[in-house]
Amino acid sequence: MPSWTRVSWIVVAVAVVVGVVVGTVTWAIIGRGPSPPELRNLDWWENTVIYQIYPRSFKDTNGDGIGDLRGITSELEHFVDAGVGAIWMSPIFSSPMIDFGYDISDFYDIHYEYGTMADFEELVSRAHELGIKVLLDYVPNHASTESDYFKRSVAREPGYENYFVWADPVIDSQNNSRVPSNWISQFGGSVWEWNEIRQQYYLHQFAVEQADFNFREPAVRQEMLNIMRFWIEKGADGFRLDAIPHLFEANPNDHGGVYPDEPLTGNMFLTSDQPGYTTQEHVRDLIELYDVVYEWRDFVDRWQEDNQAETKVLLAEAYANITMTMLYYGNERGRIGAHFPFNFDFITSLSAKSNARDFVYVINRWLTYMPRGQVANWVFGNHDNNRMPSRFRTNMVDGLNGLNMMLPGVAITYQGEEIGMRDGYVSWEDTVDVSACNQGNPDNYLEYSRDPARTPYHWNNSTSAGFSTSQSTWLPVAEDYREINLQAQKEAERSHFKVYQSLTRLRKEPAVSHGDHHIQALSKNTLVLVRHIITYDTFALVFNVGTETDTVDLSTITLLAEPMTVYASSIFSRRVPGDTVPLGEVTLQPGEALVLQAPPT
Ligand SMILES: *[C@@H]1O[C@H](CO)[C@@H](O)[C@H](O)[C@H]1NC(C)=O
Ligand SMILES: *[C@@H]1O[C@H](CO)[C@@H](O)[C@H](O)[C@H]1NC(C)=O
Ligand SMILES: *[C@@H]1O[C@H](CO)[C@@H](O)[C@H](O)[C@H]1NC(C)=O
Ligand SMILES: *[C@@H]1O[C@H](CO)[C@@H](O)[C@H](O)[C@H]1NC(C)=O
């Protein structure tokens, strides 16, 4: 027996003896308390914080007023500092930028304003060194009409004829030629656009320049996998799947050879070219699309297995009802899909008007419908919706970040939420969002515009908020950047960023990473979320979501015990970390949130 083996046996033997002695002594001292539960090993993504970067607005390093990949690389430390585990970037691929990158002209290249492939490789390798995962935006529903795919399809090049959804005009009883169906695009106007060269209409569920791929064409399905493989091999740790509910439209073969018209919704406030004028029975949530998502999951799982790699995650962007949303996790026949569909409930079902019972109902709805064994997730904002403090109230920032970080599963932060960034003001003249430009006018464009949530990130109080050395940026910098910026929040004794940091740290506590959750409304406006696991400290978030001061009684919560201390609190709270809070009545100001730490129960 080589001597090193003998040494290790001795070490093991000594360790066992010491372990038994220490264990026995501990047992004798603390008595017959429950032993700590075994904490299941979590895969890297199951309890992480994912941060959405809007690359155009994150950080500009070449002074053109547009964010770039080197900007992201230069600020990767911010994510380590913030306690973020993964970033997902809105599209960074070659694009004419009609829909700011969601109209991709080359799925295999980096957009020139954002940098080069070398910049991307540098970003990934630096992020991985820092332990940050990198997720890409995957846009399968459509391609730019400037893409090679589209040009070849227009020319009916062999192999590409059916890459897109092409249709002949319909001749009506008066012998007039018209569009194939009454379907309306998400950005207004018909989904059908005439192509002179091919003498057919093509379908676009979004802008005219975004032609929908034909997912009934096997070559398209294969190409989608090629794209996925390409970026995985470049080091991507997964994908956010864009606009998935729109992958398929009704098949004319099931409707006597025609594209069926949608029934009208009867909404009298809309004109016939506005989304919402017709229903969307034939253009979204078609059951066929789920098989494509399941196919993608099989693909990434197989790649991962073949390459002995860490998990590659798929996150589905799907604004759908709860049943159709949950199907993205998988179906009852055992097919599995996305690691999770984004939970948009805090965007679509809750607002400044919601009371504590609304919050509790909406949170429990997700957790109840979610299939067993799956991982939840919580989204508070993104590049398509007004920013979180603007949709709710600015005094709710810390409480909302508290819910995000303390609810079970994955927390998702949109760029700026960690410092409480609000919507920026973007005048009609400065408006660039295709949704607003197509559907809006100087009086109503803000109803359609996504620009206010996309203004540049606030790094500090100097030129263009430290986003760019240029005074002129692609969207104006919000005026409040002098008060709301990262540097100021790092220097302040109390700030949203500091609360955010302590909340992301809190996620490592066993009660939060592995514990049970218990949520209830203590009054009309105050809710409590308790995270609990035996033998470890319990944590509770108490949050007044209303506009009036509220007093609630914590003594009814049996999972809590004294002495309770404040772990984190809203920046305006009179209570600061370390303060003791009695297990009795507590009064909260409007919007105030407290995270309490209590001994094991
Ligand atoms: C219908 O229109 C086409 C093309 O405009 C024309 O060639 C054809 O004669 C018309 N048929 C009838 C029945 O009017
Ligand atoms: C969700 O939508 C699907 C398809 O449109 C429909 O069949 C189902 O009844 C809806 N479910 C709920 C809970 O609204
Ligand atoms: C603000 O941030 C920019 C970009 O990081 C930096 O170049 C600049 O020096 C900063 N200004 C101040 C006053 O810290
Ligand atoms: C700008 O920020 C720096 C650093 O946070 C601070 O010391 C300075 O007072 C600020 N200047 C203004 C005009 O707000």
Side-chain angles (χ1 to χ4, degrees):
M1 197 188 261
S3 64
W4 59 265
T5 313
R6 209 162 11 191
V7 170
S8 34
W9 277 113
I10 294 169
V11 169
V12 169
V14 170
V16 167
V17 171
V18 170
V20 168
V21 170
V22 169
T24 313
V25 170
T26 313
W27 182 257
I29 293 172
I30 63 173
R32 292 160 178 276
S35 52
E38 198 172 317
L39 301 179
R40 185 173 73 86
N41 254 339
L42 299 175
D43 198 356
W44 71 262
W45 60 276
E46 292 181 287
N47 187 45
T48 195
V49 179
I50 300 178
Y51 186 102
Q52 180 189 354
I53 295 178
Y54 194 70
R56 212 172 173 77
S57 289
F58 191 64
K59 180 77 183 247
D60 168 25
T61 54
N62 64 355
D64 63 358
I66 296 170
D68 45 48
L69 297 186
R70 289 185 178 198
I72 297 169
T73 307
S74 73
E75 297 291 356
L76 286 171
E77 303 279 351
H78 173 54
F79 304 117
V80 178
D81 209 25
V84 163
I87 52 176
W88 79 263
M89 298 182 281
S90 282
I92 54 175
F93 317 107
S94 302
S95 165
M97 292 288 157
I98 299 294
D99 190 19
F100 293 106
Y102 287 97
D103 50 324
I104 301 175
S105 52
D106 185 347
F107 286 72
Y108 296 98
D109 206 357
I110 300 292
H111 181 63
Y112 73 96
E113 288 170 311
Y114 297 161
T116 62
M117 191 61 84
D119 293 335
F120 175 74
E121 287 161 359
E122 171 70 13
L123 188 163
V124 172
S125 101
R126 193 72 199 105
H128 286 170
E129 273 165 35
L130 292 170
I132 306 281
K133 297 284 196 281
V134 179
L135 312 180
L136 294 178
D137 210 328
Y138 181 77
V139 187
N141 183 64
H142 44 257
S144 164
T145 48
E146 290 187 19
S147 65
D148 261 12
Y149 305 130
F150 190 74
K151 290 178 188 160
R152 289 167 188 239
S153 197
V154 166
R156 296 182 196 262
E157 213 177 281
Y160 293 89
E161 300 100 316
N162 300 321
Y163 242 66
F164 295 89
V165 182
W166 293 103
D168 291 325
V170 166
I171 310 298
D172 68 15
S173 53
Q174 266 88 54
N175 199 22
N176 292 318
S177 160
R178 63 164 180 80
V179 292
S181 67
N182 68 349
W183 302 348
I184 299 167
S185 124
Q186 295 300 301
F187 294 151
S190 174
V191 299
W192 299 105
E193 183 74 9
W194 181 248
N195 182 271
E196 271 303 324
I197 300 171
R198 189 160 153 150
Q199 289 288 302
Q200 276 189 308
Y201 288 100
Y202 68 86
L203 180 138
H204 61 91
Q205 291 232 37
F206 293 86
V208 171
E209 297 85 352
Q210 292 165 299
D212 272 46
F213 279 117
N214 174 13
F215 269 86
R216 297 193 182 100
E217 166 66 30
V220 167
R221 299 273 274 263
Q222 182 55 49
E223 182 62 5
M224 288 301 140
L225 300 181
N226 297 344
I227 295 167
M228 219 173 238
R229 181 186 306 108
F230 178 83
W231 291 104
I232 288 181
E233 287 175 355
K234 286 260 173 232
D237 298 294
F239 302 95
R240 172 258 189 191
L241 312 173
D242 178 66
I244 301 300
H246 305 279
L247 285 190
F248 283 90
E249 298 76 28
N251 190 343
N253 295 343
D254 301 334
H255 297 273
V258 300
Y259 286 98
D261 277 341
E262 290 280 7
L264 306 186
T265 57
N267 185 331
M268 294 179 300
F269 300 102
L270 297 171
T271 57
S272 64
D273 61 353
Q274 285 184 294
Y277 181 77
T278 61
T279 61
Q280 297 200 301
E281 293 168 21
H282 299 306
V283 296
R284 68 186 301 158
D285 296 337
L286 269 64
I287 202 74
E288 270 174 285
L289 75 88
Y290 292 91
D291 283 330
V292 175
V293 177
Y294 304 154
E295 194 172 293
W296 291 336
R297 177 63 182 267
D298 289 344
F299 177 78
V300 293
D301 281 359
R302 204 168 333 114
W303 193 93
Q304 187 185 313
E305 210 175 288
D306 292 348
N307 293 276
Q308 312 240 313
E310 282 188 281
T311 304
K312 305 289 173 187
V313 296
L314 299 180
L315 321 178
E317 185 215 24
Y319 292 89
N321 73 26
I322 192 87
T323 332
M324 302 315 278
T325 300
M326 292 302 163
L327 262 186
Y328 288 98
Y329 276 116
N331 67 13
E332 74 285 356
R333 291 189 308 281
R335 297 298 306 274
I336 48 171
H339 290 74
F340 55 78
F342 282 131
N343 173 355
F344 292 130
D345 287 348
F346 277 89
I347 295 174
T348 55
S349 302
L350 294 168
S351 70
K353 296 195 191 82
S354 308
N355 64 29
R357 275 183 284 271
D358 300 328
F359 275 77
V360 171
Y361 168 77
V362 167
I363 290 166
N364 279 333
R365 182 176 56 185
W366 185 277
L367 295 170
T368 309
Y369 274 87
M370 187 173 70
R372 266 180 83 86
Q374 298 287 357
V375 174
N377 76 99
W378 314 91
V379 180
F380 284 72
N382 58 32
H383 62 296
D384 285 334
N385 292 282
N386 296 90
R387 285 197 171 103
M388 172 257 265
S390 304
R391 293 197 324 276
F392 290 91
R393 277 182 294 277
T394 55
N395 63 9
M396 294 170 75
V397 167
D398 301 312
L400 292 169
N401 280 335
L403 279 173
N404 197 2
M405 297 304 154
M406 289 183 63
L407 283 165
V410 176
I412 296 160
T413 291
Y414 176 57
Q415 171 173 313
E417 275 168 16
E418 76 280 26
I419 56 171
M421 268 181 73
R422 306 163 186 183
D423 284 344
Y425 171 70
V426 182
S427 69
W428 170 245
E429 288 69 30
D430 285 338
T431 291
V432 291
D433 179 17
V434 59
S435 168
C437 296
N438 280 5
Q439 303 179 77
N441 61 49
D443 298 324
N444 71 359
Y445 72 99
L446 284 174
E447 286 172 39
Y448 304 101
S449 183
R450 297 168 296 175
D451 290 335
R454 299 176 175 183
T455 58
Y457 188 82
H458 300 174
W459 295 100
N460 61 29
N461 62 10
S462 66
T463 305
S464 293
F467 160 69
S468 173
T469 51
S470 173
Q471 302 273 2
S472 136
T473 51
W474 80 282
L475 277 179
V477 173
E479 276 161 19
D480 55 14
Y481 75 91
R482 282 183 200 81
E483 294 77 49
I484 303 172
N485 66 70
L486 181 65
Q487 190 187 348
Q489 295 199 15
K490 281 182 171 176
E491 286 167 8
E493 199 174 324
R494 302 178 76 185
S495 67
H496 295 313
F497 185 65
K498 291 209 165 148
V499 173
Y500 186 90
Q501 284 179 307
S502 55
L503 290 168
T504 55
R505 249 193 325 270
L506 174 61
R507 295 173 65 79
K508 299 195 173 64
E509 294 284 341
V512 180
S513 60
H514 288 78
D516 301 327
H517 61 272
H518 164 87
I519 179 161
Q520 90 183 69
L522 292 171
S523 67
K524 178 162 173 276
N525 284 320
T526 298
L527 61 89
V528 65
L529 166 66
V530 184
R531 299 303 306 277
H532 170 267
I533 189 164
I534 52 162
T535 77
Y536 291 101
D537 280 359
T538 302
F539 291 86
L541 172 76
V542 193
F543 184 15
N544 176 2
V545 299
T547 54
E548 282 157 34
T549 300
D550 196 18
T551 300
V552 292
D553 185 1
L554 301 180
S555 68
T556 58
I557 306 165
T558 51
L559 293 171
L560 293 180
E562 286 190 320
M564 291 200 303
T565 54
V566 174
Y567 176 88
S569 59
S570 299
I571 55 172
F572 57 86
S573 172
R574 282 186 307 266
R575 303 174 188 89
V576 297
D579 282 3
T580 304
V581 173
L583 186 52
E585 285 199 340
V586 53
T587 298
L588 297 163
Q589 300 168 65
E592 183 173 354
L594 298 176
V595 178
L596 303 170
Q597 179 166 12
T601 53

